[in-house]
């Protein structure tokens, strides 16, 4: 695939908890595009982002933002109003996918296995456990394992959880409580209409939290995962179906937990990330590379899909 030379605005940074990751993703994307001969305007998003995009007049925007407001539909709605073509998912999909409860409502009725659980007010957990221990508490609208806590009988949060214990209840008013699924961390990338591979993530200590994701050497990536063929096939099927049911565009990443003592019945989808990382340690570029697609080609493929959806350039354009 060869694209015509384009002017691409790479939107990155912002003010979410994932700002540092977004800056790394955006810079990687910008350099890849420049290596392909495209003109790149880097935009570190601030409150004047609409003005800066209007002044840049790009052919397409590569959305390299992570977290709100770049991943929750806010920026997508702004760009829709401005008539801009942009990569990744649109407004409605972004609103649903970043909200873990809305994602369950969209996917579970279609047979996608996801953990149970409920939304709790943070103040409640200082009075009683919302679920039997062990359980997981996480923000409803954050990604990259930001603010995730695993509550066990042996943990140091207290019983009930002490208000002064460090955790997501100090930062967020509402949390999602889910049963803790013992087992293995798996993830599958989807590009366009294709599920790529399954990667198993083996943190050197603790669990696959924000630091384990983005600190070199803290997590071993086994790609492709050394798991039974039926689990590989199930992960890829569930990832692609979830991508399609939610209406995702460009790239997405489906994260799973698998209790390997339960076979196929132990596989659960945790979430679908519509703005997966594009850093050197990120999983989508790693899986694409294992499938024979180098990083610059991956970036161009995502732009080609955005342009094709807008009716501007056909996929596979010469």
């Amino acid at each position: 695939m060869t694209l015509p030379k384009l002017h691409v605005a790479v939107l990155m940074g912002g003010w979410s908890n994932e700002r540092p990751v977004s800056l790394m993703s955006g810079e990687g994307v910008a350099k890849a595009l420049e290596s392909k001969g495209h003109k790149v305007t880097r935009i570190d998003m601030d409150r004047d982002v609409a003005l800066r995009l209007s002044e840049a007049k790009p052919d397409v925007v590569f959305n390299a933002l992570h977290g709100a407001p770049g991943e929750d539909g806010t920026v997508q709605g702004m760009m829709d109003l401005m008539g801009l073509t942009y990569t990744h998912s649109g407004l409605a999909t972004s609103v649903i996918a970043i909200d873990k409860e809305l994602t369950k409502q969209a996917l579970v009725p279609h047979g996608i296995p996801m953990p149970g659980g409920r939304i709790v007010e943070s103040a409640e957990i200082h009075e009683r456990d919302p679920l039997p221990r062990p359980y997981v508490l996480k923000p409803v609208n954050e990604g990259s394992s930001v603010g995730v806590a695993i509550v066990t009988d042996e943990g140091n949060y207290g019983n009930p959880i002490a208000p002064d214990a460090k955790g997501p209840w100090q930062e967020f008013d509402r949390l999602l409580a889910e049963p803790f699924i013992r087992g293995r961390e798996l993830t599958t990338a989807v590009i366009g209409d294709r599920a790529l591979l399954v990667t198993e993530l083996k943190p050197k200590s603790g669990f696959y939290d924000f630091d384990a994701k983005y600190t070199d050497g803290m997590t071993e990536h086994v790609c492709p995962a050394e798991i039974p063929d039926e689990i590989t096939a199930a992960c890829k099927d569930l990832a692609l179906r979830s991508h399609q049911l939610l209406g995702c565009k460009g790239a997405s990443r489906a994260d799973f937990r698998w209790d390997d003592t339960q076979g196929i019945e132990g596989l659960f989808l945790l979430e679908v990330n519509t703005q997966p990382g594009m850093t050197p340690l990120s999983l989508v570029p790693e899986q694409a590379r294992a499938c024979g697609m180098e990083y610059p080609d991956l970036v161009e493929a995502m732009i080609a899909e955005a342009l094709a959806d807008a009716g501007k350039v056909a996929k596979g354009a010469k």
Side-chain angles (χ1 to χ4, degrees):
M1 177 191 68
T2 302
L3 286 174
K5 301 310 177 197
L6 301 167
H7 177 199
V8 184
V10 178
L11 195 54
M12 55 180 147
W15 49 86
S16 80
N17 289 323
E18 298 176 71
R19 171 180 169 80
V21 181
S22 174
L23 289 172
M24 286 190 289
S25 289
E27 187 59 27
V29 167
K31 288 180 177 177
L33 289 168
E34 288 171 339
S35 77
K36 289 281 194 174
H38 300 290
K39 177 184 176 183
V40 174
T41 297
R42 293 164 172 80
I43 297 180
D44 184 348
M45 188 177 74
D46 57 16
R47 303 292 178 177
D48 294 326
V49 62
L51 176 62
R52 297 174 68 190
L53 283 168
S54 178
E55 290 174 344
K57 297 180 173 62
D59 298 310
V60 61
V61 178
F62 193 103
N63 184 358
L65 294 166
H66 303 314
E71 196 171 350
D72 65 356
T74 302
V75 165
Q76 288 80 1
M78 176 197 73
M79 290 193 289
D80 286 341
L81 286 172
M82 295 177 69
L84 294 170
T85 300
Y86 55 91
T87 62
H88 297 81
S89 299
L91 189 157
T93 296
S94 301
V95 168
I96 294 169
I98 201 170
D99 187 302
K100 297 175 178 66
E101 189 66 12
L102 290 178
T103 300
K104 290 183 182 184
Q105 293 172 14
L107 297 182
V108 171
H110 294 277
I112 305 296
M114 300 186 74
R118 66 185 184 91
I119 302 294
V120 297
E121 299 296 325
S122 293
E124 293 179 40
I125 66 172
H126 306 309
E127 300 175 4
R128 66 188 70 85
D129 285 330
L131 296 174
R133 298 190 181 197
Y135 63 90
V136 179
L137 289 170
K138 61 182 72 171
V140 179
N141 294 303
E142 290 283 348
S144 289
S145 301
V146 170
V148 176
I150 300 174
V151 182
T152 66
D153 286 329
E154 301 79 23
N156 58 3
Y157 294 128
N159 194 355
I161 294 172
D164 59 351
K166 185 178 180 180
W169 42 85
Q170 295 180 333
E171 300 177 59
F172 304 95
D173 294 330
R174 300 172 71 246
L175 297 167
L176 176 62
E178 293 180 336
F180 174 69
I181 300 168
R182 301 184 185 277
R184 300 160 72 173
E185 194 95 25
L186 306 175
T187 192
T188 294
V190 175
I191 304 294
D193 57 1
R194 178 189 176 196
L196 300 185
L197 297 170
V198 182
T199 299
E200 181 173 5
L201 305 160
K202 297 182 175 182
K204 300 294 176 65
S205 63
F207 70 102
Y208 192 53
D209 60 8
F210 185 91
D211 290 335
K213 285 186 177 182
Y214 298 113
T215 304
D216 196 7
M218 286 190 65
T219 300
E220 178 187 1
H221 294 190
V222 182
C223 179
E226 297 170 354
I227 55 178
D229 290 345
E230 71 166 349
I231 302 301
T232 295
C235 286
K236 292 171 70 173
D237 174 67
L238 292 170
L240 182 57
R241 286 173 56 204
S242 299
H243 180 99
Q244 294 169 336
L245 286 165
L246 292 171
C248 298
K249 300 293 184 183
S252 72
R253 194 193 71 241
D255 296 335
F256 300 91
R257 288 284 287 184
W258 177 47
D259 182 345
D260 56 8
T261 68
Q262 301 296 318
I264 196 73
E265 299 300 320
L267 183 65
F268 293 89
L269 173 73
L270 298 181
E271 64 179 319
V272 175
N273 189 325
T274 59
Q275 299 277 132
M278 295 288 285
T279 75
L281 298 180
S282 294
L283 295 153
V284 173
E286 180 179 64
Q287 290 194 6
R289 186 166 56 251
C291 291
M293 180 181 289
E294 293 301 321
Y295 187 95
D297 298 322
L298 169 64
V299 172
E300 280 202 329
M302 296 164 72
I303 288 175
E305 181 172 354
L307 292 169
D309 288 339
K312 294 184 176 180
V313 177
K315 290 179 183 177
K318 300 296 183 181

